[in-house]
């Protein structure tokens, strides 16, 4: 029986799909949420195998307390799923400073705090999985949503480096890059204000918001199948370093890499001319 620690346990989100998949295979789960009362009814049938913890992942003290409570209750954490996160609209030039900071606080710095809290126990036990929920937007830039992309790009780099640093301790790292999935992620965008500070970008940002709102409830990705794909990756004889989820996301990432490789090779002479 493995113990999972999952952040971002919002009803209708990826976090609970992870939790249910883990519970259905006989594991035990700690799920964190800023509003734990929302999970009381969901958790009840699972009894002692579920621990619901209040947690604002941007509060480092709360993070450490939640990890400590989980380790005391279950004896350790085998799988960490850094799932908490979201983005806000805005152009690179015109997004408010507050929006930029909270985007990185939630999508990057909070992940760092959780990883730092969980890793000592994993190292001591000689194993574990860290699953970092990135996004297709962490590989392909998203105009009008650029700071979310930037934070996820940073998470990609952090995860790549972390993988090399912790493999000596038996700890493995998987990046998960979903496209558009039918979770509650788009549900709040209808009432989300566009606080763009540069008028020239307002049509772009409003158009991006409208596209998200229009797509809500019609996303192609099935989160239950997405989580099963991740569990399959964790169990693979040679686990991948990353997995893109969804057809449209997969196609976008493949096209990005193919275009980048074409451009790289087209400029090979310039690149190689830079050495002594």
């Amino acid at each position: 029986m493995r113990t999972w620690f999952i952040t971002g346990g919002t009803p209708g989100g990826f976090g609970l799909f992870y939790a249910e998949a883990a519970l259905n295979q006989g594991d035990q789960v700690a799920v964190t949420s800023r509003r734990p009362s929302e999970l009381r009814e969901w958790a009840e049938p699972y009894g002692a195998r579920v621990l619901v913890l209040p947690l604002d992942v941007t509060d480092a003290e709360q993070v450490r307390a939640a990890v400590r409570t989980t380790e005391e209750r279950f004896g350790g954490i085998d799988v960490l799923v850094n799932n908490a996160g979201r983005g806000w609209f805005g152009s690179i030039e015109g997004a408010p400073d507050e929006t930029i900071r909270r985007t990185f606080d939630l999508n990057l710095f909070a992940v760092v705090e959780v990883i730092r809290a969980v890793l000592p126990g994993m190292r001591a036990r000689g194993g574990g999985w860290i699953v970092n929920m990135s996004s297709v937007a962490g590989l392909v830039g998203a105009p009008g949503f650029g700071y979310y992309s930037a934070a996820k790009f940073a998470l990609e780099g952090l995860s790549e480096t972390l993988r090399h640093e912790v493999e000596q301790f038996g700890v493995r790292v998987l990046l998960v890059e979903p496209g558009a999935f039918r979770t509650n992620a788009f549900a709040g965008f209808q009432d989300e204000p566009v606080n763009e500070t540069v008028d020239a970008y307002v049509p772009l940002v409003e158009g991006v918001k409208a596209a998200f709102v229009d797509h809500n409830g019609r996303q192609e990705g099935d989160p239950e199948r997405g989580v099963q794909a991740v569990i399959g990756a964790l169990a693979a004889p040679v686990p991948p370093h990353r997995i893109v989820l969804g057809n449209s996301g997969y196609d976008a990432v493949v096209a990005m890499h193919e275009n980048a490789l074409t451009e790289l090779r087209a400029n090979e002479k310039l690149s190689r001319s830079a050495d002594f």
Side-chain angles (χ1 to χ4, degrees), residues 7 80-86 103-115 130-139 147-163 173-178 241-242:
T7 67
L80 163 62
V81 180
N82 279 307
N83 171 68
R86 64 153 296 176
T103 299
F104 276 85
D105 282 344
L106 177 58
N107 295 288
L108 180 65
F109 298 126
V111 174
V112 171
E113 290 293 346
V114 178
I115 289 171
I130 295 173
V131 178
N132 287 336
M133 291 295 287
S134 180
S135 170
V136 168
L139 295 169
Y147 285 104
Y148 178 78
S149 275
K152 292 299 188 180
F153 266 73
L155 179 61
E156 295 272 332
L158 180 143
S159 300
E160 293 289 351
T161 302
L162 179 66
R163 178 181 299 113
V173 178
L174 176 68
L175 274 161
V176 180
E177 296 142 344
H241 291 169
R242 55 167 34 88

Side-chain angles (χ1 to χ4, degrees), residues 136 139 175-179 229 242-246 248-251 253:
V136 168
L139 295 169
L175 274 161
V176 180
E177 296 142 344
R242 55 167 34 88
I243 180 169
V244 178
L245 299 180
S248 60
Y250 183 88
D251 291 342
V253 171

Side-chain angles (χ1 to χ4, degrees), residues 39-252:
L39 304 184
R40 188 176 297 118
E41 185 176 345
W42 167 82
E44 194 172 313
Y46 298 108
R49 289 197 296 135
V50 170
L51 177 63
V52 175
L53 295 167
L55 178 60
D56 175 352
V57 291
T58 64
D59 185 322
E61 187 174 334
Q62 284 189 30
V63 167
R64 290 190 290 270
V67 169
R68 185 166 57 249
T69 299
T70 302
E71 291 176 332
E72 290 171 353
R73 167 76 172 270
F74 293 133
I77 294 169
D78 302 299
V79 184
L80 163 62
V81 180
N82 279 307
N83 171 68
R86 64 153 296 176
W88 289 270
F89 301 108
S91 70
I92 298 302
E93 183 181 356
D97 290 348
E98 179 190 359
T99 297
I100 299 168
R101 289 191 174 91
R102 66 178 174 173
T103 299
F104 276 85
D105 282 344
L106 177 58
N107 295 288
L108 180 65
F109 298 126
V111 174
V112 171
E113 290 293 346
V114 178
I115 289 171
R116 286 177 162 178
V118 170
L119 261 178
M122 286 187 173
R123 284 193 292 103
R125 290 185 300 277
W129 269 106
I130 295 173
V131 178
N132 287 336
M133 291 295 287
S134 180
S135 170
V136 168
L139 295 169
V140 182
F145 221 56
Y147 285 104
Y148 178 78
S149 275
K152 292 299 188 180
F153 266 73
L155 179 61
E156 295 272 332
L158 180 143
S159 300
E160 293 289 351
T161 302
L162 179 66
R163 178 181 299 113
H164 294 296
E165 292 181 350
V166 300
E167 61 184 354
Q168 61 182 309
F169 307 115
V171 179
R172 292 179 287 185
V173 178
L174 176 68
L175 274 161
V176 180
E177 296 142 344
F181 271 71
R182 204 168 298 179
T183 66
N184 62 356
F186 292 2
F189 288 143
Q190 175 71 56
D191 300 320
E192 186 79 33
V194 173
N195 294 322
E196 178 63 37
T197 68
V198 178
D199 290 345
Y201 298 106
V202 169
L204 165 68
V205 177
E206 288 183 338
V208 171
K209 174 185 173 178
F212 274 105
V213 171
D214 181 64
H215 207 41
N216 183 43
R218 301 192 296 113
Q219 300 97 317
E220 296 83 358
D222 178 344
E224 185 174 356
R225 291 186 178 188
V227 166
Q228 288 302 320
V230 173
I231 289 175
L234 298 180
V238 182
H241 291 169
R242 55 167 34 88
I243 180 169
V244 178
L245 299 180
N247 285 307
S248 60
Y250 183 88
D251 291 342

